[in-house]
Amino acid sequence: MAQTPTQRRANEKHAKSVEKRMGKPETAYKKKEVKRSPVGVAAVVLLIFVVIAPLLIEQLRLLPQVWNFILGLLAKVGLVSK
């Protein structure tokens, strides 16, 4: 059975690539795999929003109480007037 021109070109291309690799270690011609994270960016953003946002909101809620506490301590020491 005769080769078609497409098959002949494919065979020549394969032969050239095999010839280039001869005598070289496998790591020299193998493409390195790109390691990707198993967790998507959207999942990480959602996780940060769910975990970090409530902590920040809680800190903002406590801020006036902490400020008043600090001012009370400074007033007892006499550094500020109440």
Side-chain angles (χ1 to χ4, degrees), residues 49 52-63:
F49 180 75
I52 302 294
L55 294 175
L56 292 176
I57 292 170
E58 183 67 21
Q59 294 304 316
L60 289 174
R61 188 182 70 79
L62 292 176
L63 189 61

Side-chain angles (χ1 to χ4, degrees), residues 5-81:
T6 307
Q7 287 174 331
R8 191 174 299 117
R9 281 192 299 270
N11 286 340
E12 288 172 1
K13 182 179 175 183
H14 178 70
K16 283 181 185 178
S17 70
V18 169
E19 190 176 322
K20 278 192 223 177
R21 292 185 285 172
M22 293 184 96
K24 295 182 182 174
E26 191 174 302
T27 56
Y29 59 85
K30 285 259 183 170
K31 292 183 179 179
K32 294 180 181 177
E33 293 182 19
V34 177
K35 294 185 179 182
R36 297 183 61 188
S37 174
V39 180
V41 174
V44 172
V45 169
L46 180 66
L47 182 65
I48 289 172
F49 180 75
V50 168
V51 173
I52 302 294
L55 294 175
L56 292 176
I57 292 170
E58 183 67 21
Q59 294 304 316
L60 289 174
R61 188 182 70 79
L62 292 176
L63 189 61
Q65 295 172 357
V66 171
W67 183 250
N68 289 334
F69 176 75
I70 291 172
L71 282 179
L73 287 177
L74 291 176
K76 284 183 182 177
V77 175
L79 295 175
V80 294
S81 61

